[in-house]
Structures are given as C-alpha cells and as structure tokens.
Amino acid sequence: MSPATQPPSAPQDRSDLSAASPFELRIGLGRGMPDQTVRDALATGDIGFLHSYTTGSTVDGPGVRVVAWTTGCQWRCRYCHNPDTWTVTNGIPVSVARAAEELGKYRAGLATMRGGFTLSGGEPLMQHRFAAKLLAAAKRMGIHTTIETNGFYGSRLTDAELDTIDLVMLGLKTWDPKRHKDLTGEDIGPTLEFARRLAARKRPVWIRFVLVPGITDDPEDMAGSAAFAAKLGNVERVEVLPFHQLGRFKWERLGLDYTLEGVEAPTQEAVDKALAVWRAAGLEAS
Ligand code: SF4
C-alpha cells in the first residue's frame, strides 16, 4: 500500500489486543474517538473496533482457532453473555493492518494445528467493511477463515467477499417469529434470507443454537429450525450450546435488566432431547 493510501493509525493502535477470554468485561476503550472518526472507520473498514483477540479456542470453528471479538451488535438477545460487545466504542480501535499483523503471528501454528481464524463478536457484520478486509487479509495469509454471525446484515457482503469466508457459523435463535423478536429484539427474516443465499452459493455453514430452558427448548419450535436448516443442503453440522450464566455479571455491571435470573443450565437429558430433534431432520448435531 502506498503512503498516500495508507489508512490513519487508530489512536490506540498499540494497545494489547489479547484477552484471557471474551468473558473479560471491556468498556469504553474507543470512547475518546470523535463521532466522525467512528463513522469513517465503519464506512471504510480501515479501522475496526475489537473487544479482544483470544487464542487456543477449540469451540469457534474447526481445529484450534485464533478469535477476534468485534464490538457492536444490533440485537439484544436475552441470554447474551457479552453485552459489553453491543456498543461499538467499547472496543479497542485498531487498524486493519494491525489486526492482520496480530493474526499473522499465529499463522504457522494455526497451519500445524489445522485451525484458523474466526471473526466473532458482538456481531462482526456491524463492521462489515472491516470484517471483509480482515477476512480477506487472513485468506491472503493462507489461513482458514470463519465468521460467527447472526446473519442479519449478511446482505452487506458481496458474493466475492462471501467467497473469502471458508465457514459461516450462523446463529439460529428460535423459529417462531414472535418468539424471535421477544428473544432478540429483531426479526428473523434477514437471517433466513442470508442462510438461503449461502445455500445457493454452496458455502459451508454450521448452525449454532443456544438451548435455554423454557425459552428455546420447545420441540416444535426446534423442529421448525431443524427442518429449515436441513432443506438448505449446505449445513455441515449443528452445535447445540447449553445456556449458562457466565455472562450475568456483565449485565449487572452494565446496569442492564437481566431477565434470565432464575434460569438454570439445561440438564443433559434436555440437551439430548434437543439433539434428537435436530438429528431427526437429518442433520449432524453435537
Ligand atoms: S447476536 Fe450475539 S452478540 Fe448480539 S445480542 Fe445476540 S448473543 Fe449477543
């Protein structure tokens, strides 16, 4: 890149991006940036906002993963365990070059461990320009790329950008539209549309489904999601994730109204029942 086109350094470009886990509470790290700079960053993607990088994940895609956690999410899932990632400026502003440089440190190790890079959040496509640039940079380094997304802004990516993503981990929260709105605050339609587009382009997809007792565990509702996913033809596996309370402290610290106070993690029996529903549709579920 020539000096003339070099993006400006992000103000905190040398900040430590690593975190022990995404459960670290991070607030206001980009708050000093003028609004216009934030808007420009989102428009160009030359600067993004990251909660952190974590390494060594075995639950965010195939093999061992380096994960970049973006900030910004337009949904308000009642079970969200990282509500500090909802606000873009809670993240560290970082240039795409710096984010790629950080990832590059792990390139050889990721190849050895047959792993790769996962862009998660928050909702990564809230910063779709930055996401597209960082995923493309990872691809140029020969690193397997995955995005974890709720799919709502999937239409923001071009077909060529989609093709730089080796795997999409798509969250299906619940099937009934009213229940979806109540659980997430948003409509399910754009997510389903994105899923259909990925299917039409034959892009590999894993479905992520959070099992919350009393909220997402209705067998008929799960069967609706499962039937939809099975028909797509490109869903390689389904991950049923048992709800937990690890993020509750963040809701308290942020002064947010947490509505799942008394909800317990699902029993193994409940998890097995959920798995059976997804498997009955012909999907591999674990
Ligand atoms: S889509 Fe993800 S990050 Fe956004 S509110 Fe839901 S669980 Fe949280």
Side-chain angles (χ1 to χ4, degrees), residues 73 75-77 79-82 85-86 121-123 150 173:
C73 185
W75 288 15
R76 294 292 177 264
C77 300
Y79 57 63
C80 183
H81 56 234
N82 286 317
T85 64
W86 291 351
E123 169 46 54
N150 62 34
K173 313 289 185 180

Side-chain angles (χ1 to χ4, degrees), residues 27-231:
I27 305 170
L29 299 173
R31 203 176 281 149
M33 286 182 90
D35 288 352
Q36 188 57 47
T37 311
V38 174
R39 278 197 291 275
D40 290 348
L42 293 175
T44 64
D46 290 336
I47 294 173
F49 295 82
L50 293 179
H51 174 280
S52 56
Y53 265 81
T54 54
T55 56
S57 168
T58 54
V59 295
D60 295 291
V64 177
R65 317 294 297 182
V66 170
V67 186
W69 306 92
T70 59
T71 48
C73 185
Q74 76 284 41
W75 288 15
R76 294 292 177 264
C77 300
R78 291 166 59 197
Y79 57 63
C80 183
H81 56 234
N82 286 317
D84 51 334
T85 64
W86 291 351
T87 304
V88 169
T89 51
N90 273 350
I92 301 169
V94 55
S95 68
V96 74
R98 162 84 171 101
E101 175 193 310
E102 182 74 13
L103 177 59
K105 289 185 198 166
Y106 306 102
R107 181 183 186 175
L110 290 174
T112 308
M113 293 182 287
R114 304 170 76 82
F117 172 58
T118 300
L119 190 64
S120 185
E123 169 46 54
L125 296 181
M126 285 285 285
Q127 303 185 46
H128 69 290
R129 297 317 314 141
F130 178 75
K133 288 182 177 183
L134 185 52
L135 289 162
K139 208 67 201 135
R140 283 195 296 276
M141 288 189 270
I143 296 173
H144 179 279
T145 53
T146 293
I147 190 169
E148 288 190 51
T149 176
N150 62 34
F152 193 83
Y153 285 138
S155 62
R156 290 179 166 187
L157 295 179
T158 65
D159 286 348
E161 287 165 350
L162 273 188
D163 292 346
T164 67
I165 304 173
D166 295 310
L167 174 68
V168 176
M169 297 177 82
L170 183 66
L172 277 189
K173 313 289 185 180
T174 187
W175 183 246
D176 178 75
K178 276 216 283 263
R179 191 175 291 161
H180 192 276
K181 186 94 178 173
D182 175 62
L183 178 64
T184 70
E186 289 289 351
D187 292 329
I188 193 173
T191 300
L192 303 185
E193 197 47 50
F194 185 49
R196 291 188 193 100
R197 180 173 168 218
L198 291 168
R201 295 193 62 75
K202 301 189 175 6
R203 305 305 302 163
V205 165
W206 291 6
I207 297 291
R208 303 199 106 187
F209 171 76
V210 181
L211 183 65
V212 191
I215 295 185
T216 66
D217 60 349
D218 176 62
E220 269 184 43
D221 192 81
M222 285 189 285
S225 297
F228 171 79
K231 256 194 268 166

